[in-house]
């Protein structure tokens, strides 16, 4: 099918000349400037638009194919997306990298120079947001009709720098100069209500009329999400809040009350102003709940609009639609769909509930009880009065079901209720998410098991079939091909073709090469060259990386105790045969999370002390890389030798950095936590440095009465490390860290210290034998094929979504 036929659109050319012509057209007609006067920004924008046109072309064919087949759709609802930089990816996915590199010569600039202007949209905090981005990539690559819905925050995750040794935060005005990757559709705006009251509807017991007290507009824009090696281009649709026309008060403005005149519009637009820089620890805030509802209300109306383009009967809705909730953030979509169906479209309660339950599925990303969202009932009552009524009714009917299954078990009913009856009554969003969906999944085997056996045990008793596991994955295009071109080329050469890019299990074909000395030599050379590029430390040192959000459960403090112990050992025996190490930390701490920020401060203080020590500094170096984001990850991951995955077992839901690093040939030192377990099972226990308590032992230890001081008393090196901190030896910084470890040590850091140090000695034994190390590294890559997000998406598609691909025909 050629959509341009009949309307006489010309085809976009594929040669360097044609590409260059289009590039110049973009410059003249869309940037309004000429080659002679083009700034770097003009060159960047013109290139971005030219590449985008190629994808837009495929997008049009995708939309036509999807419309024609009226398929079952996947709608991914996520408050966060960490998409990463777009230009390099879109050049790759549109196959225009080479012609573009030629064409931009017209500007007298290199492609690399231009790429530096491409700012990543940092619309997420960490793993959950990046997972969303990997999944939309893989859905397109697997030809699954899908839309990712999110919020177009004006300010993304804060920019981090280290000032006076501690974390400083600056706003991230990522689209300050515009975003050429985005299409805005002001005509598709949605209207969203907040506050107000509800009124009865004559002749109906169930329907109510909600009269909102505030109206906000949701303006959509979309970014293209191309599949790799296929024609499909899906979209991510992001909503931005706008004040309505009525929100501008002309009479006040005319009276000179300028601030008052726009205050309503400002209040409306604040909804999509900033991404909440929270990670796992939630700060209950009205604006955050407003954001969540704003996302859900706009998206559901859009989903319904799309459904009605091709379908009439509501009974087909759940057949044609699956809405995946990325954590509890979009859970308010459940009562919102009920409200739309019952109040606005007039369906009966039971029919609407049956449709709703079959439409949604929920992915949980945590095990930390404090990360399970709850909202005060009084806040709901004020902000979303109709939704609270609907939640009460859902809860009443649900608790009747529980009561019927477990007669007389009042305690169970209390535990399972969607409304928690503590000092303050709260709505438990995770309970609502389980009750209102067809499937619930965790993100790694252990996580899913612990969800069933601990956090959500009552629900698993009631509905065992609802609970599933879908282990996370990462995009091999972004995290190997784009991030690590040297390794990609070597892999492709070793395997004979690049089919591994869309079928990552093909990496297993590298196994026989693990014993090939010449191949191993080249493997080492790639890693070394990547380290030189990163420029973080001596490329011949062991590059030991811990890159992730800062959180006590992830235990950056344990890594630090290891570094301090090494520092002591080297000082005591400067003539020892030490393995030189560069320890690289990167990651952000939530601005209000003081304990995490104290750890960052201590890392920098210890780093400075070591740096200033002529005896130790030749062997040990700490690098704190500022402002960790997707772009920085793409530079660090290819250069890593050792991957630190040292969370307390039973706390990290999955991890995805662990997968990126293993795929790029870093060897993991880790606990039996999250997906580490599955990585170890695949790469082989001899190619993984294991230490520490397992989840069961950790839970037992906490219950049995844990005394961190006993570990301190017993272990002289541990004592020396903690005493050094407490004595202020590192510029007087870090006493709070030592106090918290000795006082309570929530995440059993001291209990795992000795085992961790032993494992680090094993690391050094392996490192001293380059042949052994390289073999381990190659085998890590060879056996990480399972961790492709293409496999994750295939799992969701088969077991949760029950969707198939729709092939978009090629242009002939
Ligand atoms: C993270 C989990 O901590 C991590 O273990 C998991 O790999 C990832 O989700 C993807 O499933 N959770 C978050 O990032 N959570 C938030 C609120 O950002």
């Amino acid at each position: 099918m050629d959509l341009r036929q009949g309307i006489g659109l010309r085809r976009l050319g594929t040669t360097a000349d044609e590409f260059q012509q289009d590039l110049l057209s973009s410059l003249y007609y869309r940037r309004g400037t000429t080659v002679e006067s083009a700034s770097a920004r003009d060159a960047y924008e013109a290139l971005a638009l030219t590449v985008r046109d190629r994808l837009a072309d495929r997008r049009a064919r995708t939309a036509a194919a999807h419309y024609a087949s009226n398929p079952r759709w996947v709608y991914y609802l996520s408050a966060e997306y960490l998409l990463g930089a777009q230009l390099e990816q879109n050049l790759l996915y549109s196959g225009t990298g080479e012609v573009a590199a030629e064409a931009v010569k017209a500007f007298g600039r290199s492609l690399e120079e231009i790429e530096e202007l491409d700012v990543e949209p940092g619309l997420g905090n960490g793993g959950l947001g990046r997972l969303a981005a990997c999944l939309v990539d893989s859905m397109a690559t697997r030809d699954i009709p899908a839309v990712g819905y999110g919020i177009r925050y004006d300010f993304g995750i804060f920019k981090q720098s280290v000032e006076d040794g501690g974390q400083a935060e600056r706003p991230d005005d990522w689209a300050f100069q515009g975003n050429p990757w985005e299409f805005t559709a002001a005509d598709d705006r949605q209207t969203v209500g907040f506050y107000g009251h509800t009124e009865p509807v004559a002749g109906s017991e169930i329907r109510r009329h909600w009269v909102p007290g505030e109206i906000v507009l949701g303006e959509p824009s979309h970014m293209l999400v191309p599949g790799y090696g296929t024609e499909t281009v899906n979209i991510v649709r992001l909503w931005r809040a706008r004040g309505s026309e009525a929100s501008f008060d002309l009479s006040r403005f005319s009276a000179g009350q300028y601030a008052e005149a726009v205050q309503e519009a400002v209040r409306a637009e604040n909804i999509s102003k900033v991404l909440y820089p929270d990670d796992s620890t939630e700060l209950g805030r009205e604006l955050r709940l407003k954001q969540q509802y704003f996302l859900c209300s706009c998206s559901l109306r859009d989903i319904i609009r799309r459904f009605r383009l091709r379908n009439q009967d509501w009974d087909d809705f759940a057949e044609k639609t699956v809405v995946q909730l990325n954590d509890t953030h979009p859970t308010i979509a459940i009562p919102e769909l009920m409200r739309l169906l019952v109040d606005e479209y007039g369906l009966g309660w039971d029919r609407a509930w049956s449709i709703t339950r079959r439409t949604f599925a929920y992915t949980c990303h945590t095990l930390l009880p404090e990360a399970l969202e709850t909202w005060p009932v009084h806040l709901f009552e004020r902000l979303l009065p109709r939704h609270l009524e609907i939640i009460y009714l859902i809860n009443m009917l649900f608790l009747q079901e529980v009561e019927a299954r477990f007669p007389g078990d009042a305690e169970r009913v209390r535990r399972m209720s969607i409304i928690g009856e503590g000092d303050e009554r709260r709505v438990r969003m995770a309970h609502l998410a389980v009750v209102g969906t067809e499937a619930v999944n965790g993100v790694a085997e252990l996580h899913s098991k612990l969800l069933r056996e601990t956090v959500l045990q009552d629900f698993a008793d009631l509905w065992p079939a609802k609970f599933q596991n879908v282990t996370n994955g990462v995009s091999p295009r972004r995290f190997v091909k784009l991030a690590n071109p040297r390794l990609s080329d070597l892999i492709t050469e070793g395997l004979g073709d690049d089919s591994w890019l869309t079928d990552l299990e093909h990496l297993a074909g590298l196994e026989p090469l693990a014993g090939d000395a010449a191949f191993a030599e080249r493997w080492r050379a790639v890693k070394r060259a990547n380290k030189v590029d990163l420029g973080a430390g001596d490329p011949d040192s062991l590059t030991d990386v811990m890159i992730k959000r800062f959180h006590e459960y992830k235990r950056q403090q344990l890594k630090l105790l290891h570094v301090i112990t090494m520092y002591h050992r080297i000082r005591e025996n400067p003539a020892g045969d030490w393995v030189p190490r560069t320890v690289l930390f990167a990651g952000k701490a939530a601005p209000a999370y003081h304990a995490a920020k104290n750890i960052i401060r201590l890392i920098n203080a210890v780093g400075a002390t070591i740096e200033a020590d002529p005896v130790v500094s030749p062997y040990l170096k700490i690098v704190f890389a500022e402002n960790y984001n997707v772009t920085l990850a793409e530079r660090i991951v290819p250069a890593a030798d050792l991957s630190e995955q040292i969370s307390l077992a039973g706390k990290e839901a999955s991890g995805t950095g662990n997968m990126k690093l293993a795929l790029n040939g870093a060897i993991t030192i880790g606990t039996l936590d999250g997906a580490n377990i599955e990585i170890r099972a695949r790469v082989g226990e001899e190619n993984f440095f294991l230490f520490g308590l397992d989840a069961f032992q950790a839970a037992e230890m906490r219950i049995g009465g844990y005394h961190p001081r006993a570990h301190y008393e017993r272990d002289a090196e541990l004592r020396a490390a903690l005493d050094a901190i407490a004595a202020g030896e590192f510029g007087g910084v870090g006493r709070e860290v030592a106090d918290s470890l000795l006082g309570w040590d929530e995440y059993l850091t001291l209990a795992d210290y000795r085992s961790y140090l032993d494992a680090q000695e094993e690391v050094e034994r392996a490192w001293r034998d380059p042949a052994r190390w390289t073999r381990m590294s190659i085998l890590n890559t060879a056996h990480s094929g399972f961790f492709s997000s293409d496999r994750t998406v295939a799992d969701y598609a088969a077991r949760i979504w029950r969707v198939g691909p729709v092939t978009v025909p090629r242009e002939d």
Side-chain angles (χ1 to χ4, degrees):
M1 144 191 30
D2 189 341
L3 298 164
R4 290 181 225 87
Q5 259 174 23
I7 45 174
L9 264 182
R10 89 178 154 81
R11 258 193 207 173
L12 298 178
T14 52
T15 67
D17 274 352
E18 289 167 319
F19 190 92
Q20 193 171 59
Q21 274 176 19
D22 290 341
L23 182 64
L24 295 178
S25 298
S26 299
L27 190 72
Y28 292 144
Y29 302 126
R30 294 152 92 183
R31 286 298 289 178
T33 185
T34 62
V35 174
E36 294 70 33
S37 48
S39 65
R41 182 78 201 175
D42 290 325
Y44 163 71
E45 294 259 353
L47 176 60
L49 293 171
T50 310
V51 174
R52 193 185 77 172
D53 289 346
R54 266 75 190 158
L55 296 177
D57 209 21
R58 270 166 59 187
R59 169 68 199 155
R61 276 182 285 122
T62 303
H66 288 167
Y67 185 83
S69 72
N70 188 20
R72 176 168 164 84
W73 282 88
V74 177
Y75 296 114
Y76 198 80
L77 249 63
S78 179
E80 304 188 13
Y81 289 87
L82 280 174
L83 295 169
Q86 295 293 292
L87 177 56
E88 209 194 355
Q89 166 185 285
N90 287 339
L91 285 167
L92 174 69
Y93 282 55
S94 63
T96 51
E98 278 172 28
V99 291
E102 260 314 292
V104 295
K105 288 182 182 162
F107 298 123
R109 296 172 201 274
S110 73
L111 189 52
E112 289 72 37
E113 264 170 82
I114 295 177
E115 271 166 6
E116 272 171 26
L117 299 184
D118 197 42
V119 177
E120 81 170 74
L123 310 183
N125 276 292
L128 169 153
R130 182 55 227 176
L131 182 76
C134 284
L135 294 185
V136 293
D137 169 332
S138 289
M139 286 188 258
T141 297
R142 292 211 168 258
D143 295 318
I144 293 174
V147 177
Y149 284 103
I151 300 176
R152 191 195 178 290
Y153 303 102
D154 293 339
F155 294 89
I157 180 77
F158 64 86
K159 286 191 192 154
Q160 179 201 53
S161 57
V162 174
E163 314 277 331
D164 300 326
Q167 168 173 293
E169 300 111 23
R170 274 175 304 124
D172 169 38
D173 198 352
W174 65 282
F176 182 65
Q177 300 205 57
N179 172 21
W181 303 107
E182 186 176 348
F183 296 89
T184 303
D187 52 338
D188 264 349
R189 282 181 184 157
Q190 304 291 351
T191 304
V192 183
F194 296 99
Y195 309 104
H197 64 275
T198 70
E199 293 169 354
V201 170
S204 172
E205 296 265 292
I206 292 292
R207 286 175 71 183
R208 304 271 302 176
H209 179 58
W210 176 27
V211 186
E214 182 184 357
I215 296 286
V216 171
L217 300 178
E219 179 178 275
S221 60
H222 65 264
M223 289 173 64
L224 301 177
V225 180
Y228 183 79
T230 177
E231 294 295 298
T232 298
V233 175
N234 286 334
I235 61 170
V236 164
R237 186 154 238 218
L238 304 175
W239 301 98
R240 191 176 192 186
R242 292 267 181 216
S244 63
E245 217 175 330
S247 67
F248 176 64
D249 191 332
L250 182 58
S251 57
R252 283 190 142 167
F253 193 87
S254 309
Q257 296 174 315
Y258 303 124
E260 293 83 352
V262 295
Q263 80 189 15
E264 214 180 296
V266 168
R267 200 168 64 155
E269 289 171 16
N270 275 345
I271 292 175
S272 57
K273 193 59 87 187
V274 282
L275 165 80
Y276 272 76
D278 275 322
D279 186 76
S280 329
T281 45
E282 294 293 343
L283 203 66
R285 295 272 292 276
E286 175 170 328
L287 189 56
R288 172 124 171 154
L289 182 57
K290 270 181 121 169
Q291 288 187 330
Q292 298 184 351
Y293 177 63
F294 172 73
L295 163 66
C296 293
S297 181
C298 292
S299 305
L300 280 176
R301 286 170 189 278
D302 198 49
I303 289 167
I304 290 172
R305 174 189 65 80
R306 295 166 55 94
F307 169 74
R308 284 153 64 102
L309 290 175
R310 292 298 312 269
N311 308 277
Q312 293 84 45
D313 191 343
W314 283 111
D315 288 324
D316 294 335
F317 187 76
E319 310 307 318
K320 292 292 184 189
T321 312
V322 53
V323 180
Q324 187 70 41
L325 305 175
N326 195 25
D327 218 275
T328 50
H329 315 148
T331 301
I332 190 69
I334 292 168
E336 173 68 355
L337 182 58
M338 285 302 288
R339 189 187 69 81
L340 291 168
L341 294 177
V342 172
D343 294 351
E344 296 200 5
Y345 293 102
L347 273 64
W349 180 274
D350 291 344
R351 189 170 168 221
W353 184 236
S354 157
I355 293 170
T356 298
R357 262 188 149 168
R358 284 181 293 122
T359 295
F360 290 103
Y362 159 52
T363 305
C364 176
H365 294 267
T366 191
L367 278 162
L368 303 183
E370 67 268 27
L372 294 177
E373 283 186 301
T374 62
W375 296 107
V377 163
H378 65 79
L379 172 59
F380 251 92
E381 208 157 25
R382 209 159 45 79
L383 186 64
L384 299 168
R386 178 58 182 143
H387 297 79
L388 185 63
E389 293 169 357
I390 291 172
I391 291 169
Y392 280 152
L393 191 47
I394 292 173
N395 196 38
M396 191 189 86
L397 296 169
F398 163 62
L399 294 180
Q400 285 172 3
E401 201 179 327
V402 177
E403 173 64 29
R405 263 291 301 282
F406 302 95
D409 195 343
E411 179 54 21
R412 182 183 296 263
V413 168
R414 193 191 57 77
R415 282 198 311 264
M416 295 182 79
S417 174
I418 295 170
I419 307 295
E421 309 277 352
D423 295 345
E424 179 186 50
R425 299 176 72 229
R426 301 182 76 97
V427 183
R428 298 163 163 164
M429 299 310 269
H431 291 202
L432 180 58
V434 177
V435 172
T437 55
E438 189 169 55
V440 176
N441 75 284
V443 289
E445 292 284 353
L446 174 69
H447 176 232
S448 299
K449 175 172 133 76
L450 292 174
L451 281 182
R452 285 192 308 264
E453 293 175 359
T454 61
V455 190
L456 299 174
Q457 188 191 358
D458 289 321
F459 294 90
D461 285 352
L462 184 64
W463 299 309
K466 198 184 256 205
F467 287 79
Q468 303 210 36
N469 173 61
V470 182
T471 298
N472 284 164
V474 302
S475 163
R477 274 79 60 184
R478 185 172 287 274
F479 290 104
V480 188
K481 173 80 180 167
L482 291 171
N484 198 347
R486 294 189 183 96
L487 194 73
S488 298
D489 290 349
L490 183 58
I491 292 171
T492 298
E493 198 186 313
L495 295 176
D497 63 47
D498 69 359
S499 60
W500 58 276
L501 281 171
T502 47
D503 194 347
L504 201 60
E505 297 278 9
H506 287 186
L507 290 178
L510 294 171
E511 162 123 44
L513 292 167
D516 177 326
F519 188 80
E521 186 58 47
R522 295 179 64 195
W523 192 270
R524 264 196 300 279
V526 164
K527 188 63 87 183
R528 192 176 188 287
N530 291 340
K531 292 200 237 178
V532 171
D533 279 0
L534 179 63
D538 177 0
D540 294 315
S541 65
L542 171 61
T543 301
D544 177 354
V545 312
M546 184 150 189
I547 47 177
K548 51 183 81 250
R549 284 297 289 245
F550 272 81
H551 199 293
E552 289 163 286
Y553 84 78
K554 295 180 188 277
R555 300 199 297 190
Q556 279 93 352
Q557 64 277 27
L558 177 58
K559 174 78 247 168
L560 200 48
L561 290 174
H562 168 239
V563 173
I564 295 172
T565 301
M566 291 309 299
Y567 167 67
H568 287 157
R569 287 184 187 171
I570 298 170
R571 268 226 308 219
E572 272 156 39
N573 179 16
D577 180 19
W578 304 110
V579 168
R581 272 198 205 227
T582 302
V583 179
L584 193 157
F585 290 93
K588 294 175 183 175
Y593 189 178
H594 297 291
K597 290 173 107 171
N598 286 335
I599 296 170
I600 294 182
R601 196 172 274 287
L602 183 56
I603 286 173
N604 284 287
V606 172
T609 304
I610 294 174
E611 178 94 53
D613 186 324
V615 171
V616 180
S617 57
Y619 304 107
L620 195 56
K621 181 182 170 82
I622 288 187
V623 175
F624 187 94
E626 294 168 315
N627 201 35
Y628 185 58
N629 59 10
V630 179
T631 307
L632 186 55
E634 289 172 36
R635 293 183 47 216
I636 297 173
V637 165
D641 294 310
L642 187 64
S643 160
E644 299 276 351
Q645 308 301 336
I646 61 179
S647 52
L648 174 63
K651 299 294 175 190
E652 186 69 88
S654 163
T656 46
N658 48 2
M659 301 171 183
K660 293 162 201 166
L661 286 156
L663 256 174
N664 281 276
I667 303 167
T668 308
I669 181 165
T671 48
L672 288 176
D673 201 12
N676 293 354
I677 298 175
E678 290 158 76
I679 292 175
R680 178 167 174 264
R682 288 188 162 76
V683 305
E685 25 186 282
E686 66 289 1
N687 301 313
F688 185 108
F689 301 105
L690 179 68
F691 76 96
L693 300 164
D694 67 21
F696 181 77
Q697 292 166 330
E700 294 271 281
M701 185 173 279
R702 262 265 86 104
I703 293 164
Y706 169 62
H707 304 288
R709 275 214 169 257
H711 296 272
Y712 167 86
E713 307 289 354
R714 204 182 304 138
D715 193 316
E717 284 193 310
L718 174 59
R719 205 161 53 235
L722 286 164
D723 286 350
I725 301 171
E729 282 181 31
F730 306 105
V733 165
R735 290 202 179 85
E736 310 83 345
V737 177
D739 287 349
S740 119
L741 290 175
L742 282 167
W744 173 238
D745 191 14
E746 174 78 32
Y747 299 104
L748 309 180
T749 312
L750 305 196
D752 272 348
Y753 167 84
R754 185 44 58 186
S755 163
Y756 180 54
L757 264 88
D758 291 346
Q760 288 287 4
E761 289 195 9
E762 187 53 35
V763 167
E764 301 198 348
R765 267 192 292 280
W767 179 257
R768 286 173 199 281
D769 178 352
R772 173 178 168 203
W773 186 277
T774 309
R775 187 184 150 75
M776 292 173 78
S777 169
I778 296 172
L779 290 175
N780 265 270
T781 303
H783 295 304
S784 291
F786 178 78
F787 301 105
S788 168
S789 47
D790 298 345
R791 187 270 315 148
T792 307
V793 158
D795 281 357
Y796 277 106
R799 292 193 279 113
I800 293 184
W801 301 335
R802 288 175 281 103
V803 295
V806 171
T807 309
V808 178
R810 280 182 190 281
E811 241 175 351
D812 24 53

